[in-house]
Amino acid sequence: MPETMTYIAHGAGGGPEVMAPATGPLPVPAADEVLIRVMAAGVNRPDVAQRAGSYPPPPGASPILGLECAGEVVACGPDVRGFKVGDRVCALTNGGAYAQYCTAPEAQTLPWPKGYDAIRAAALPETYFTVWANLFGTSHASAGRLAPGETVLVHGGSSGIGVTAIQLAKAFGATVITTVGSAEKARAVLGFGADHAINYREQDFVEEVKRITGGKLLDVVLCMVGAPYFAKNLRCLRMDGRLVLIAFLGGETAEKTDLRPIMMRRLTVTGSTMRPRTTAQKGEIAAALREKVWPLLEQGRCGPHIHATFPLAQAAEAHRLMESSAHIGKIMLHVAD
């Protein structure tokens, strides 16, 4: 292996223009980690926030951007038992994926689904870990506990998270309503399996939810918008409904919100981020995905939609596209063949 690698530096933070290729040493895997020769990496909203300076990595994590990758295992820590050199894997990393080499805990690493290439495999970890933990998981308080026969509203249905949530909710027997910002995106999400698409620029999503459900309302709302939608989300939920917050793209402070629906309908308001979870907690999610979701991926019942792929050196352009919200699905970086 080489002594140095190319990675994307982002300096002290700022706009996409601060990103540039740089050279540094290869990371060294810890006892429970694998070292991956990165072939592809995914671009996600937390990367944009970290680059801008509002989402710093936790202590001990790589300062390099990138939370998911796919590639080839080239070294294993002494405690690694499930993978060996030469295995093709994808991983939810603790940072460092915008680089030629990246480490990841074995517990957060999964094999490529059969039939997948590096780009498609790298598009899986961040969104699938996030959606599974927040929409389906039952072992943690921040789970939506979505069950077959229930109805869920997925905001931002054309995002990478949104597409994943739509497909998995449908695969596990839920009715899916989603919000989007254009007619083009509405057509796209219906193609991904959503039962109904609401254009939030033209329609009041609360009134549309009432109309679509015949006044029965929703069991779960998965929201990445935050404060502007908080009160409206509460109004959409039926008795024992669950509101799951996974981001605050529209703001984080909800003011003058009527809290009575929470008490009168026994609503649960919860949320989480993935990064602060322990390796063991992420490992539980990975194990559930391998058992319950990887077969669906291999059967073609769900899977990532790749909107655009950029060379690693053009990571800044990938971030500009992400910030424009013009994409449908995933934005990827090609690192090596």
Side-chain angles (χ1 to χ4, degrees), residues 29-36 73 75-84 87 89-94 102-111 129 279-280 282-287 290:
D32 65 341
E33 291 182 332
V34 294
L35 177 64
I36 301 168
V73 175
C76 297
D79 294 344
V80 172
R81 296 292 181 266
F83 296 101
K84 63 184 185 303
D87 285 347
V89 298
C90 58
L92 182 73
T93 73
N94 296 328
C102 180
T103 58
E106 177 185 16
Q108 297 167 209
T109 303
L110 290 158
F129 273 71
T279 298
K282 294 173 187 176
E284 290 179 2
I285 299 168
R290 189 166 186 173

Side-chain angles (χ1 to χ4, degrees), residues 65-324:
L65 299 174
L67 297 175
E68 62 183 349
C69 72
E72 178 185 13
V73 175
V74 293
C76 297
D79 294 344
V80 172
R81 296 292 181 266
F83 296 101
K84 63 184 185 303
V85 172
D87 285 347
R88 297 290 178 95
V89 298
C90 58
L92 182 73
T93 73
N94 296 328
Y98 288 20
Q100 291 179 308
Y101 292 85
C102 180
T103 58
E106 177 185 16
Q108 297 167 209
T109 303
L110 290 158
W112 292 7
K114 294 176 183 176
Y116 271 55
D117 60 11
I119 293 291
R120 286 177 61 77
L124 297 173
E126 174 68 12
T127 59
Y128 277 79
F129 273 71
T130 299
V131 170
W132 183 265
N134 287 283
L135 205 53
F136 299 98
T138 57
S139 62
H140 191 272
S142 63
R145 306 185 307 279
L146 183 66
E150 292 190 324
T151 301
V152 59
L153 173 63
V154 177
H155 287 299
S158 62
S159 66
I161 290 284
V163 172
T164 301
I166 290 167
Q167 292 183 338
L168 288 184
K170 287 300 295 180
F172 288 100
T175 297
V176 180
I177 305 170
T178 186
T179 58
V180 293
S182 70
E184 177 190 7
K185 290 183 176 181
R187 289 190 294 270
V189 296
L190 293 172
F192 297 136
D195 296 285
H196 305 276
I198 300 169
N199 186 336
Y200 66 83
R201 299 183 190 277
E202 300 176 353
Q203 300 167 298
D204 182 320
F205 73 80
V206 177
E207 295 305 313
E208 283 300 297
V209 163
K210 291 179 181 178
R211 181 188 66 79
I212 291 167
T213 64
K216 295 180 180 179
L217 303 180
L218 307 165
D219 298 287
V220 181
V221 175
L222 184 68
C223 184
M224 59 189 75
V225 177
Y229 281 9
F230 186 72
K232 298 178 74 173
N233 285 332
L234 297 180
R235 289 162 53 198
C236 287
L237 288 166
R238 65 178 62 150
M239 189 70 72
D240 296 315
R242 288 87 72 194
L243 169 59
V244 184
L245 303 170
I246 58 171
F248 305 102
L249 298 181
E252 59 192 35
T253 303
E255 299 178 353
K256 297 182 180 179
T257 299
D258 185 355
L259 300 179
R260 288 175 295 178
I262 298 175
M263 298 176 65
M264 301 192 65
R265 292 194 223 124
R266 298 194 301 266
L267 304 182
T268 298
V269 179
T270 184
S272 74
T273 58
M274 187 58 59
R275 211 165 199 183
R277 295 176 191 252
T278 66
T279 298
Q281 290 169 338
K282 294 173 187 176
E284 290 179 2
I285 299 168
L289 289 172
R290 189 166 186 173
E291 176 188 353
K292 299 178 183 298
V293 176
W294 254 230
L296 301 179
L297 294 167
E298 293 175 353
Q299 295 163 15
R301 295 179 58 190
C302 59
H305 175 77
I306 309 301
H307 180 88
T309 301
F310 295 83
L312 179 63
Q314 294 179 18
E317 292 304 313
H319 274 224
R320 290 187 180 97
L321 175 58
M322 173 69 73
E323 291 181 312
S324 77

